[in-house]
Amino acid sequence: EKSAAVLVMMTATTTTSSTRTMAARPRRGSGVPASRSTKQVTFSRAPRRTSPLSQSPHTLRPWTTLLPPTRSRKMTDQEIEDLLVFQEPPPEKLEGECYGCGAPLQCSSEKAAGFVKLETYETKRRHKQLGQVLCSRCHLLCNGKMVPGVEDVGTRLAMDDENQPSGDLVTPEELRGKLVAMRNRKSLVLHLVDLTDLQGTFLRNVRDLVSKNPVLIVGTKMDLLPRGSNVKDVADWVLQYVEDRGLSPIGVVLCSSKSGFGIRQTAGLVKKNRNGRDVVVVGAANVGKSAFTRSLLNEMSSLRSANYDIGAAQIRHKPVESEMPGTTLGVIPLEAFETGGYLYDTPGLHLEHRLIHMMRPEEVKRVVPRRPLSPYVARTPASLLVEARMGAGGEDEMSVLERISEEDEGASATYLWGGVARIDVLSCPLSTHLVFVGSNSMRIKATALAEECGEQHREREREALGLWNAGDSAGLPEEDLEGRTVAELKDLLRGRGLPVSGRKADLVERLRGSAPAMQQAATEEEE
C-alpha cells in the first residue's frame, strides 16, 4: 500500500494535502493511556483522471494497465493457419485407449478412430486421466451417426461415394488378431449370437479363438422375436443348432439388453461358473456385445441384485453401443470383479457372408430391425396368375380358377423384398402362401414372373444337375466326401431331406446311397 501511494504521488502533476488528527487505538502493553495516544496522518490525494494508475492499489494490475488499450477483433483464417503451422507436432505414439471403442489414442488423423485434440490429451495426461478419454468417433456414434471403423465391402462403397481414402479403417484381419492373442488366457467365454440371425452370427471356428475354455452361449435380441415366442423352445433350437456344429457349451441363456430380459439370469450363471477366471465376451459384429456388457455391468452394480459386485459398481466409463457394425475396435478390459479378474469387451468379427457387411452404413441403419418382428403374408402366386389371365382374356375370376384347376397348371411369381433380395417362384401349387418375417422398413412387392427369369433359373438347375452327374457312382468324388467336415456332410444331408445322425462314415455312406435317386430325378426332369 505504501508503494502504491508513493507511485500515485510521483505521477500526479498537482497534489493537495490535508492533515487530519485522529485517535489511534493504543498498542497492548505499551503503557500509554488512550487519551494521550494521538497520531498525525497525512493523506496525499491525486486529482481525478482517466489514467489506469488512478485505480485502487488493491485492484491495480501492472500487466494490464501498462499495455496500451486495444480493441478486440476476430482473428482471420490466415492468422489461425499461421498459428497452427508453428504448433508443436504431436508425438507419433500416444499412451492410452478410448474407453468407448478401445482404439489407441492419436492426434494426427481426424478421420481415424481414437482421435482427440492435442490440448485435451495433454490435459488428461497431466492429470493422469487417460482412462477417461472418449474419441471423436465415439462422440458421433453416441449421437446416432453411422461412422465406419472397419473396412468391408459396404464401407468401401461409402468411401468411394465420398471420394475418401479407406486407409484410416481397421481391417477384419487385425481385429481377429487381437482376439487370437487372448486364446491362451484362462477365462469363461460368453459367445453371443443374434437370435434373428443365428446361422449368420454363430462362429463355427470359435475354438480357434478361445482354445479349451468353457463356452456359454448367450442369445441376444430376444425382444425382437415375434410376440408369443416360447423361450424354452427357442433355447432348445439354439442348443441343437450349436451341438450339430460340433460345439458343446456349458449352457444356453436368452436375454435382451434393451428390455433387460434374462440379464439377471445371465449374471447369475457368470457368477456361478467363473471360478476366479476372467470373462471374455466374443461374437460376430453387430450382435450387441457392447450393449450386453453395459447391461451386465448395470445388473452387477444394483444393490437390489443378488449378483451385486462392488468392482462393477465402481466402473463409471463403459463401452459405447451403436447400430454401426464394428463399433468396438480393441479389447476393453473392465475391472468388474472385486475378487480379481477382468470382464473383456472384444471387437466383433466381420464375416463376409453376412449381408450387413455388403451394405452402406445408412442402408444398414434402415434394414436392422428395432421393433419385434411380425410376419407379413404377401400376395399369393395364384392371385397374380388369376389377375394376369383376367387382364389378358377378359374372363371373370371363377372361370379362370376353374380353367387353371383343370389344366393342373402351377403358379409362379417374383417377390422384391425391400430392394435387398429377389425371390423367384418358378412353380408352386395354387394354395401356396409366402410369409415374410423381417424389418418393418423392408417393403414387399409381388409381381408376375418374367419368362426370361424362369428360363435362367431352369438353366442353372440343369447345370447343377450336370455337375452332380459328372461325379462317380457315389455322386461326388471320393476325396470330396472324405475331406469334408461332419458339419458340412450334415448340411448336404439336410439339403436332400436325409437323416443327419450317426458317425462320419455313416454320413458318407448315406450320401453315396442317395446318388441313384438323384440321377433318377435328373432323368425325369430332362424327360
Side-chain angles (χ1 to χ4, degrees):
E1 294 177 356
K2 292 182 179 179
S3 301
V6 172
L7 181 61
V8 172
M9 294 173 62
M10 292 177 61
T11 56
T13 57
T14 59
T15 58
T16 58
S17 302
S18 61
T19 305
R20 298 180 183 178
T21 302
M22 58 184 298
R25 182 174 298 177
R27 185 181 302 174
R28 288 186 179 181
S30 59
V32 181
S35 60
R36 300 179 58 183
S37 176
T38 60
K39 186 176 183 179
Q40 298 289 333
V41 181
T42 302
F43 295 91
S44 297
R45 181 180 299 168
R48 295 181 180 275
R49 56 186 302 173
T50 59
S51 172
L53 295 177
S54 62
Q55 301 177 6
S56 172
H58 299 285
T59 60
L60 190 63
R61 296 181 180 180
W63 59 86
T64 58
T65 57
L66 296 180
L67 292 176
T70 58
R71 183 175 299 174
S72 61
R73 64 180 180 83
K74 186 178 180 180
M75 298 181 65
T76 62
D77 295 339
Q78 184 62 36
E79 291 175 343
I80 295 176
E81 185 177 354
D82 294 340
L83 291 176
L84 294 177
V85 169
F86 293 99
Q87 279 187 351
E88 182 180 357
E92 296 182 358
K93 183 69 174 180
L94 302 183
E95 300 177 358
E97 293 83 20
C98 170
Y99 75 82
C101 64
L105 298 178
Q106 52 91 15
C107 302
S108 56
S109 177
E110 295 185 10
K111 301 294 183 181
F115 173 79
V116 293
K117 294 182 179 180
L118 184 59
E119 298 81 3
T120 304
Y121 175 81
E122 291 296 339
T123 302
K124 294 295 184 179
R125 184 182 62 83
R126 193 182 311 115
H127 293 87
K128 298 181 180 180
Q129 297 177 348
L130 291 179
Q132 304 176 11
V133 180
L134 194 67
C135 69
S136 300
R137 175 176 175 266
C138 288
H139 277 290
L140 295 175
L141 292 174
C142 292
N143 288 276
K145 303 295 183 180
M146 300 291 286
V147 185
V150 184
E151 182 180 2
D152 54 23
V153 177
T155 55
R156 283 196 295 267
L157 292 175
M159 292 296 182
D160 293 341
D161 295 341
E162 300 177 1
N163 294 325
Q164 294 182 3
S166 59
D168 295 332
L169 300 178
V170 182
T171 61
E173 290 74 16
E174 294 176 359
L175 297 181
R176 183 177 289 271
K178 295 180 181 180
L179 287 178
V180 172
M182 301 183 62
R183 68 187 307 269
N184 295 327
R185 185 185 300 271
K186 293 184 178 180
S187 59
L188 171 64
V189 179
L190 305 183
H191 180 7
L192 270 62
V193 294
D194 188 347
L195 294 177
T196 63
D197 186 16
L198 177 60
Q199 293 82 359
T201 57
F202 175 71
L203 305 178
R204 298 194 178 190
N205 299 325
V206 65
R207 284 299 178 190
D208 296 339
L209 303 175
V210 302
S211 187
K212 298 181 179 180
N213 290 315
V215 178
L216 174 65
I217 300 295
V218 180
T220 61
K221 304 182 182 180
M222 182 66 187
D223 58 298
L224 295 181
L225 293 185
R227 292 182 175 89
S229 300
N230 188 284
V231 178
K232 185 179 182 305
D233 292 343
V234 175
D236 293 341
W237 165 61
V238 173
L239 179 61
Q240 183 64 37
Y241 181 86
V242 170
E243 290 179 345
D244 289 345
R245 268 67 187 172
L247 180 65
S248 298
I250 61 175
V252 174
V253 61
L254 309 182
C255 66
S256 170
S257 302
K258 183 178 180 180
S259 64
F261 172 82
I263 296 296
R264 179 169 299 179
Q265 181 184 1
T266 306
L269 290 175
V270 170
K271 183 178 180 180
K272 178 181 178 181
N273 297 281
R274 192 173 73 87
N275 297 328
R277 294 172 291 195
D278 297 331
V279 178
V280 181
V281 181
V282 300
N286 209 37
V287 298
K289 293 184 299 301
S290 297
F292 169 79
T293 302
R294 294 172 64 95
S295 300
L296 186 63
L297 291 175
N298 293 336
E299 170 64 24
M300 297 171 61
S301 303
S302 177
L303 292 174
R304 299 180 179 180
S305 173
N307 306 305
Y308 174 78
D309 197 303
I310 192 173
Q314 294 176 351
I315 297 178
R316 296 178 53 193
H317 301 88
K318 302 173 184 177
V320 169
E321 58 173 305
S322 71
E323 296 178 347
M324 182 69 206
T327 298
T328 306
L329 301 177
V331 179
I332 303 178
L334 302 166
E335 298 183 23
F337 307 104
E338 181 185 11
T339 57
Y342 287 85
L343 172 64
Y344 290 96
D345 184 17
T346 62
L349 296 179
H350 280 237
L351 308 177
E352 296 182 354
H353 65 270
R354 297 189 66 194
L355 184 63
I356 60 173
H357 301 312
M358 306 177 189
M359 306 172 67
R360 295 175 175 83
E362 60 272 11
E363 297 171 344
V364 174
K365 192 172 184 179
R366 292 196 298 264
V367 169
V368 173
R370 298 188 182 93
R371 290 180 291 180
L373 302 176
S374 57
Y376 175 79
V377 182
R379 294 186 59 185
T380 63
S383 64
L384 295 173
L385 179 60
V386 170
E387 182 179 350
R389 293 287 182 87
M390 290 176 60
E395 304 179 42
D396 59 345
E397 183 176 356
M398 294 302 298
S399 303
V400 173
L401 285 175
E402 291 177 0
R403 189 158 54 87
I404 293 176
S405 302
E406 293 175 358
E407 296 175 357
D408 196 15
E409 180 182 356
S412 61
T414 295
Y415 294 90
L416 303 177
W417 195 4
V420 176
R422 190 187 79 183
I423 302 175
D424 293 332
V425 181
L426 302 181
S427 180
C428 65
L430 299 179
S431 59
T432 301
H433 290 72
L434 275 75
V435 181
F436 293 82
V437 180
S439 176
N440 294 332
S441 61
M442 297 178 62
R443 302 299 180 182
I444 301 168
K445 182 179 180 181
T447 61
L449 177 67
E451 185 63 28
E452 56 271 14
C453 295
E455 187 60 32
Q456 290 176 3
H457 281 288
R458 295 185 184 92
E459 183 64 27
R460 295 194 192 100
E461 189 175 353
R462 284 193 292 267
E463 291 178 359
L465 289 173
L467 292 174
W468 174 266
N469 295 333
D472 60 357
S473 59
L476 282 178
E478 180 78 16
E479 57 274 8
D480 285 353
L481 287 177
E482 296 294 341
R484 292 175 181 264
T485 62
V486 175
E488 293 174 345
L489 295 175
K490 289 183 178 181
D491 289 340
L492 292 175
L493 290 170
R494 289 192 190 93
R496 296 164 200 174
L498 299 175
V500 296
S501 60
R503 297 175 300 173
K504 183 176 181 180
D506 300 334
L507 303 181
V508 172
E509 188 64 29
R510 197 171 298 144
L511 284 171
R512 290 173 180 169
S514 65
M518 294 295 296
Q519 292 177 358
Q520 182 178 358
T523 304
E524 294 177 355
E525 179 68 21
E526 291 178 356
E527 293 177 354

